[in-house]
Amino acid sequence: KKQKIPLVINLSTISVQRNFGFKIRENSFNIDNTLLAITKSVGEKLFQLSGINCINLRLPGILVRNSKNLNRPWLFKIINDLKNQKKVKIFNMNKKFNSLVDTFEIFNFIKFCLIKNINEQGNFNLSASGNIQLGKIINFLKVSSKSKSLIKKYRSSEKKSSEISLIKIRKILKYN
């Protein structure tokens, strides 16, 4: 007996889209020219064409407990550098930032989809819901860890920062 799969949640990446200092929206066709972005984009498209109910959940840096890789996401590297009193290099200290999500939030989203019997398809971003200045995060981490590390600030124009839009996931799925 064949059973219909009610929903597939494909864990994808925000890195599918080119980052030029704008708000990253789910339906942009501005795919980055990297192997990761291209292969993830193809995977998303294959799910869409398959007829399977699929949410392509685009995720930024994922915070996990007890990670062995101190460089991913980059915030772990900063925390480690602060603990070890190393110089920390940061760009866009005054820009609004929400490009992180933790494993608990991903779990809560999957649970939400199952409980609400979500029957939608498409690309959806999931990230931290509140935007905060990156400098405030770094200063909080520095004070909390009692670090004496030097924080080297790059000019904002050297690298552009993007804010992840959560409009679609809130409006269509009603997920906050």
Side-chain angles (χ1 to χ4, degrees), residues 74-133:
W74 58 266
L75 189 58
F76 280 155
K77 180 179 180 350
I78 291 171
I79 292 168
N80 194 48
D81 287 349
L82 288 169
K83 282 183 191 176
N84 294 315
Q85 308 301 323
K86 291 183 179 176
K87 181 167 61 170
V88 176
K89 299 176 184 175
I90 305 294
F91 63 92
N92 292 324
M93 290 285 280
N94 297 319
K95 296 277 181 169
K96 295 285 186 175
F97 172 81
N98 71 334
S99 190
L100 290 170
V101 68
D102 64 34
T103 53
F104 296 113
E105 191 62 33
I106 297 167
F107 170 78
N108 286 336
F109 176 77
I110 293 169
K111 189 168 76 173
F112 169 85
C113 289
L114 293 172
I115 290 169
K116 297 290 186 180
N117 200 20
I118 297 297
N119 192 20
E120 291 288 338
Q121 297 182 49
N123 303 327
F124 294 88
N125 294 338
L126 181 65
S127 69
S129 59
N131 297 323
I132 188 168
Q133 286 181 341

Coordinates of all heavy atoms in Angstrom, one line a residue, residues 74-133:
W74 N 30.7 31.2 12.2 CA 31.8 32.1 12.6 C 31.7 32.6 14.0 O 32.7 33.0 14.6 CB 31.9 33.3 11.6 CG 30.6 34.1 11.5 CD1 29.6 33.9 10.7 CD2 30.2 35.1 12.4 NE1 28.5 34.7 11.0 CE2 28.9 35.5 12.0 CE3 30.8 35.7 13.5 CZ2 28.2 36.5 12.7 CZ3 30.0 36.7 14.2 CH2 28.8 37.1 13.7
L75 N 30.5 32.7 14.6 CA 30.3 33.2 16.0 C 31.1 32.3 17.0 O 31.6 32.8 17.9 CB 28.8 33.3 16.3 CG 28.6 34.0 17.7 CD1 29.1 35.4 17.7 CD2 27.1 34.0 17.9
F76 N 31.1 31.0 16.7 CA 31.9 30.1 17.6 C 33.4 30.5 17.6 O 34.1 30.4 18.6 CB 31.8 28.6 17.1 CG 30.5 28.0 17.6 CD1 30.0 26.9 16.9 CD2 29.9 28.4 18.7 CE1 28.8 26.3 17.3 CE2 28.7 27.8 19.2 CZ 28.2 26.7 18.4
K77 N 33.9 30.8 16.4 CA 35.3 31.3 16.3 C 35.5 32.5 17.1 O 36.5 32.6 17.8 CB 35.7 31.5 14.8 CG 37.1 31.9 14.7 CD 37.6 32.1 13.3 CE 39.0 32.6 13.1 NZ 39.8 33.0 14.2
I78 N 34.6 33.4 17.1 CA 34.7 34.7 17.8 C 34.7 34.4 19.3 O 35.6 34.9 20.1 CB 33.6 35.7 17.5 CG1 33.8 36.2 16.1 CG2 33.5 36.8 18.5 CD1 32.7 37.0 15.5
I79 N 33.8 33.5 19.8 CA 33.7 33.1 21.2 C 35.0 32.5 21.6 O 35.6 32.8 22.7 CB 32.5 32.2 21.5 CG1 31.2 33.0 21.3 CG2 32.6 31.6 22.8 CD1 30.0 32.1 21.2
N80 N 35.5 31.6 20.8 CA 36.8 30.9 21.1 C 38.0 31.9 21.2 O 38.8 31.8 22.1 CB 37.1 29.8 20.1 CG 38.1 28.8 20.5 OD1 38.1 28.4 21.7 ND2 39.1 28.6 19.7
D81 N 38.0 32.8 20.2 CA 39.1 33.8 20.2 C 39.0 34.7 21.5 O 40.0 35.0 22.1 CB 39.0 34.7 19.0 CG 39.5 33.9 17.7 OD1 40.0 32.8 17.8 OD2 39.3 34.5 16.6
L82 N 37.8 35.1 21.9 CA 37.6 35.9 23.1 C 38.1 35.1 24.3 O 38.8 35.6 25.2 CB 36.1 36.3 23.3 CG 35.6 37.3 22.3 CD1 34.1 37.5 22.4 CD2 36.3 38.7 22.5
K83 N 37.8 33.8 24.4 CA 38.2 33.0 25.5 C 39.7 32.9 25.6 O 40.3 32.9 26.7 CB 37.6 31.6 25.4 CG 36.2 31.4 25.8 CD 35.8 29.9 25.7 CE 34.4 29.7 25.8 NZ 34.0 28.3 25.6
N84 N 40.3 32.8 24.4 CA 41.8 32.7 24.3 C 42.5 34.0 24.2 O 43.7 34.0 23.9 CB 42.2 31.7 23.2 CG 41.7 30.3 23.4 OD1 41.8 29.8 24.5 ND2 41.0 29.7 22.4
Q85 N 41.8 35.1 24.5 CA 42.4 36.4 24.5 C 43.1 36.8 23.1 O 44.1 37.5 23.1 CB 43.5 36.6 25.6 CG 42.9 36.2 27.0 CD 41.7 37.0 27.5 OE1 41.6 38.1 27.2 NE2 40.8 36.3 28.1
K86 N 42.5 36.3 22.1 CA 43.1 36.6 20.7 C 42.4 37.9 20.2 O 41.2 38.2 20.6 CB 42.9 35.5 19.8 CG 43.7 34.2 20.1 CD 43.5 33.2 19.1 CE 44.3 32.0 19.4 NZ 44.0 30.9 18.4
K87 N 43.0 38.5 19.2 CA 42.4 39.7 18.5 C 41.2 39.2 17.7 O 41.3 38.1 17.1 CB 43.4 40.3 17.6 CG 42.9 41.5 16.9 CD 43.9 42.4 16.2 CE 44.7 41.7 15.2 NZ 45.6 42.5 14.4
V88 N 40.1 39.9 17.8 CA 38.9 39.5 17.1 C 38.6 40.6 16.0 O 38.6 41.8 16.2 CB 37.7 39.5 18.0 CG1 36.4 39.2 17.3 CG2 37.9 38.4 19.1
K89 N 38.5 40.1 14.7 CA 38.2 41.0 13.6 C 36.8 40.9 13.2 O 36.2 39.9 12.9 CB 39.1 40.6 12.4 CG 40.6 40.6 12.7 CD 41.4 40.1 11.5 CE 42.8 40.1 11.9 NZ 43.6 39.5 10.8
I90 N 36.1 42.1 13.2 CA 34.7 42.2 12.9 C 34.4 43.3 11.9 O 35.0 44.4 12.0 CB 33.9 42.5 14.2 CG1 34.2 41.6 15.4 CG2 32.4 42.6 14.0 CD1 33.7 40.2 15.1
F91 N 33.5 43.1 11.0 CA 33.0 44.1 10.1 C 31.6 44.4 10.4 O 30.9 43.6 11.0 CB 33.2 43.7 8.6 CG 32.4 42.5 8.2 CD1 31.2 42.6 7.7 CD2 33.0 41.2 8.4 CE1 30.4 41.5 7.3 CE2 32.2 40.1 8.0 CZ 31.0 40.3 7.5
N92 N 31.1 45.6 10.0 CA 29.7 46.0 10.2 C 29.2 45.9 11.6 O 28.2 45.4 11.9 CB 28.8 45.1 9.3 CG 29.0 45.4 7.8 OD1 29.3 46.6 7.4 ND2 29.0 44.4 7.0
M93 N 30.0 46.5 12.5 CA 29.7 46.4 13.9 C 28.3 47.1 14.2 O 27.7 46.7 15.2 CB 30.8 47.1 14.7 CG 32.1 46.4 14.8 SD 32.0 45.0 15.9 CE 32.2 45.7 17.5
N94 N 28.0 48.1 13.5 CA 26.7 48.8 13.8 C 25.5 48.4 12.9 O 24.5 49.0 13.0 CB 27.0 50.3 13.6 CG 28.0 50.8 14.6 OD1 28.0 50.4 15.7 ND2 28.9 51.6 14.1
K95 N 25.7 47.4 12.1 CA 24.6 46.9 11.2 C 23.7 46.0 12.0 O 24.2 45.3 12.9 CB 25.2 46.2 10.0 CG 26.0 47.0 9.1 CD 25.1 47.8 8.2 CE 26.0 48.6 7.2 NZ 25.3 49.2 6.2
K96 N 22.5 46.0 11.7 CA 21.5 45.0 12.3 C 21.8 43.6 11.8 O 22.2 43.4 10.6 CB 20.1 45.4 11.9 CG 19.6 46.7 12.4 CD 19.3 46.6 13.9 CE 18.7 47.9 14.4 NZ 18.3 47.9 15.7
F97 N 21.7 42.6 12.7 CA 22.1 41.3 12.4 C 21.1 40.3 12.9 O 20.6 40.4 14.0 CB 23.5 41.1 13.1 CG 24.0 39.7 13.1 CD1 24.7 39.3 12.0 CD2 23.9 38.9 14.2 CE1 25.2 38.0 12.0 CE2 24.4 37.6 14.2 CZ 25.0 37.2 13.1
N98 N 20.8 39.2 12.1 CA 20.0 38.1 12.5 C 20.3 36.8 11.8 O 19.5 35.9 11.7 CB 18.5 38.4 12.3 CG 18.1 38.4 10.9 OD1 18.9 38.7 10.0 ND2 16.8 38.2 10.6
S99 N 21.6 36.7 11.4 CA 22.0 35.6 10.6 C 22.5 34.4 11.4 O 23.5 33.8 11.1 CB 23.1 36.0 9.6 OG 23.4 35.0 8.7
L100 N 21.7 34.0 12.4 CA 22.0 32.8 13.2 C 20.7 32.1 13.6 O 19.6 32.8 13.6 CB 22.7 33.1 14.5 CG 24.1 33.6 14.4 CD1 24.6 34.2 15.8 CD2 25.1 32.5 13.9
V101 N 20.8 30.8 13.8 CA 19.6 30.1 14.4 C 20.2 28.9 15.2 O 21.3 28.5 14.9 CB 18.7 29.6 13.2 CG1 19.3 28.5 12.4 CG2 17.3 29.1 13.7
D102 N 19.5 28.6 16.2 CA 20.0 27.4 17.0 C 19.2 26.2 16.7 O 18.1 26.2 16.2 CB 20.1 27.8 18.5 CG 18.7 28.0 19.2 OD1 17.7 27.4 18.8 OD2 18.7 28.9 20.1
T103 N 19.7 25.1 17.2 CA 19.1 23.8 16.9 C 17.7 23.7 17.6 O 16.8 23.0 17.0 CB 20.0 22.6 17.3 OG1 20.3 22.8 18.7 CG2 21.2 22.5 16.4
F104 N 17.5 24.3 18.7 CA 16.2 24.3 19.4 C 15.1 25.0 18.5 O 14.0 24.5 18.4 CB 16.3 25.0 20.7 CG 17.2 24.3 21.7 CD1 18.4 24.9 22.1 CD2 16.9 23.0 22.2 CE1 19.2 24.3 23.0 CE2 17.8 22.4 23.0 CZ 18.9 23.0 23.4
E105 N 15.5 26.1 17.8 CA 14.5 26.8 17.0 C 14.2 25.9 15.8 O 13.0 25.9 15.3 CB 15.1 28.1 16.5 CG 14.1 29.0 15.9 CD 12.9 29.4 16.8 OE1 13.1 29.5 18.0 OE2 11.8 29.5 16.2
I106 N 15.2 25.2 15.2 CA 14.9 24.3 14.1 C 13.9 23.2 14.5 O 12.9 22.9 13.9 CB 16.2 23.7 13.5 CG1 17.0 24.9 12.9 CG2 15.9 22.7 12.4 CD1 18.5 24.4 12.6
F107 N 14.2 22.6 15.7 CA 13.3 21.6 16.3 C 11.9 22.1 16.5 O 10.9 21.5 16.1 CB 13.9 21.1 17.6 CG 12.9 20.2 18.4 CD1 12.8 18.9 18.0 CD2 12.2 20.7 19.5 CE1 11.9 18.1 18.7 CE2 11.4 19.9 20.2 CZ 11.2 18.6 19.8
N108 N 11.8 23.4 17.0 CA 10.5 24.0 17.3 C 9.7 24.2 16.0 O 8.5 24.0 15.9 CB 10.6 25.3 18.0 CG 11.0 25.1 19.5 OD1 10.7 24.0 20.1 ND2 11.6 26.0 20.1
F109 N 10.4 24.5 14.9 CA 9.8 24.7 13.6 C 9.2 23.4 13.1 O 8.1 23.3 12.6 CB 10.7 25.4 12.6 CG 10.1 25.5 11.3 CD1 9.2 26.5 11.0 CD2 10.4 24.6 10.3 CE1 8.6 26.6 9.7 CE2 9.8 24.7 9.0 CZ 8.9 25.7 8.7
I110 N 10.0 22.4 13.2 CA 9.6 21.0 12.7 C 8.4 20.6 13.5 O 7.4 20.1 12.9 CB 10.7 20.0 12.7 CG1 11.8 20.4 11.7 CG2 10.2 18.6 12.5 CD1 13.1 19.7 11.9
K111 N 8.4 20.7 14.8 CA 7.3 20.4 15.7 C 6.1 21.2 15.3 O 5.0 20.6 15.2 CB 7.7 20.6 17.2 CG 6.7 20.1 18.2 CD 7.3 20.1 19.6 CE 7.3 21.5 20.1 NZ 7.7 21.6 21.5
F112 N 6.2 22.5 15.1 CA 5.1 23.4 14.7 C 4.5 22.8 13.4 O 3.2 22.8 13.3 CB 5.7 24.8 14.5 CG 4.7 25.7 13.8 CD1 3.8 26.4 14.6 CD2 4.8 25.9 12.4 CE1 2.9 27.3 13.9 CE2 3.9 26.8 11.8 CZ 3.0 27.5 12.6
C113 N 5.3 22.5 12.4 CA 4.8 22.0 11.1 C 3.9 20.7 11.3 O 2.9 20.5 10.7 CB 5.9 21.7 10.1 SG 6.6 23.2 9.5
L114 N 4.4 19.8 12.2 CA 3.7 18.6 12.5 C 2.4 18.8 13.2 O 1.4 18.2 12.9 CB 4.6 17.6 13.3 CG 5.8 17.1 12.5 CD1 6.8 16.3 13.4 CD2 5.4 16.3 11.3
I115 N 2.5 19.6 14.3 CA 1.3 19.9 15.1 C 0.2 20.6 14.3 O -1.0 20.3 14.4 CB 1.6 20.7 16.4 CG1 2.4 19.8 17.3 CG2 0.4 21.3 17.1 CD1 3.1 20.6 18.5
K116 N 0.6 21.6 13.5 CA -0.3 22.4 12.7 C -0.7 21.7 11.4 O -1.5 22.3 10.6 CB 0.3 23.8 12.4 CG 0.5 24.6 13.6 CD -0.8 25.0 14.3 CE -0.5 26.0 15.4 NZ -1.7 26.4 16.1
N117 N -0.1 20.6 11.1 CA -0.4 19.9 9.9 C -0.2 20.8 8.6 O -1.1 20.9 7.8 CB -1.8 19.3 9.9 CG -1.9 18.1 8.9 OD1 -0.9 17.6 8.4 ND2 -3.2 17.8 8.5
I118 N 1.0 21.4 8.6 CA 1.3 22.4 7.5 C 1.3 21.7 6.2 O 1.8 20.6 6.0 CB 2.7 23.1 7.8 CG1 2.6 23.9 9.1 CG2 3.1 23.9 6.6 CD1 1.7 25.0 9.1
N119 N 0.6 22.3 5.2 CA 0.4 21.8 3.9 C 0.8 22.8 2.8 O 0.1 23.1 1.9 CB -1.0 21.3 3.7 CG -1.2 20.5 2.5 OD1 -0.2 19.9 2.0 ND2 -2.4 20.4 2.0
E120 N 2.0 23.4 3.0 CA 2.5 24.4 2.1 C 3.8 23.9 1.4 O 4.4 23.0 1.9 CB 2.9 25.7 2.9 CG 1.7 26.4 3.5 CD 0.8 27.1 2.4 OE1 1.3 27.4 1.3 OE2 -0.3 27.4 2.7
Q121 N 4.1 24.6 0.4 CA 5.4 24.3 -0.4 C 6.1 25.6 -0.6 O 5.5 26.7 -0.5 CB 5.0 23.7 -1.7 CG 4.3 22.4 -1.7 CD 4.1 21.9 -3.1 OE1 5.1 21.9 -3.9 NE2 2.9 21.5 -3.4
G122 N 7.4 25.5 -0.8 CA 8.2 26.7 -1.2 C 9.4 26.9 -0.3 O 9.8 26.1 0.5
N123 N 10.1 28.0 -0.6 CA 11.3 28.4 0.1 C 10.9 29.3 1.3 O 10.2 30.3 1.1 CB 12.2 29.2 -0.8 CG 12.6 28.3 -2.0 OD1 12.7 27.1 -2.0 ND2 12.8 29.0 -3.1
F124 N 11.5 29.0 2.5 CA 11.2 29.8 3.7 C 12.5 30.0 4.4 O 13.3 29.0 4.6 CB 10.2 29.1 4.6 CG 8.8 29.0 4.0 CD1 8.5 27.9 3.2 CD2 7.9 30.0 4.2 CE1 7.2 27.8 2.7 CE2 6.6 29.9 3.7 CZ 6.3 28.8 2.9
N125 N 12.8 31.2 4.8 CA 13.9 31.5 5.7 C 13.6 31.3 7.1 O 12.5 31.6 7.6 CB 14.3 33.0 5.5 CG 14.8 33.3 4.1 OD1 15.3 32.5 3.4 ND2 14.8 34.6 3.8
L126 N 14.6 30.8 7.9 CA 14.4 30.7 9.3 C 15.7 31.2 10.0 O 16.8 30.7 9.7 CB 14.2 29.3 9.8 CG 14.0 29.0 11.3 CD1 12.7 29.8 11.8 CD2 13.9 27.6 11.6
S127 N 15.6 32.2 10.8 CA 16.8 32.8 11.5 C 16.3 33.4 12.8 O 15.2 33.3 13.2 CB 17.4 33.9 10.6 OG 16.6 35.0 10.5
A128 N 17.3 34.0 13.5 CA 16.9 34.7 14.7 C 15.9 35.7 14.4 O 15.9 36.4 13.4 CB 18.2 35.4 15.3
S129 N 14.9 35.8 15.2 CA 13.7 36.7 15.0 C 14.1 38.2 15.3 O 13.5 39.1 14.7 CB 12.5 36.3 15.7 OG 12.8 36.3 17.1
G130 N 14.9 38.4 16.2 CA 15.3 39.8 16.6 C 16.5 40.2 15.9 O 17.5 39.5 15.8
N131 N 16.5 41.5 15.4 CA 17.7 42.0 14.8 C 18.4 42.8 15.9 O 17.8 43.6 16.6 CB 17.4 42.9 13.6 CG 16.7 42.1 12.5 OD1 17.1 41.0 12.3 ND2 15.7 42.7 11.9
I132 N 19.7 42.6 16.0 CA 20.5 43.4 17.0 C 21.8 43.8 16.3 O 22.3 43.1 15.4 CB 20.8 42.5 18.2 CG1 21.4 43.3 19.3 CG2 21.6 41.2 17.9 CD1 21.4 42.6 20.7
Q133 N 22.4 44.9 16.8 CA 23.6 45.3 16.2 C 24.7 44.3 16.6 O 24.8 43.8 17.7 CB 24.0 46.7 16.8 CG 23.3 47.8 16.2 CD 23.7 49.1 16.8 OE1 24.3 49.2 17.8 NE2 23.4 50.2 16.1

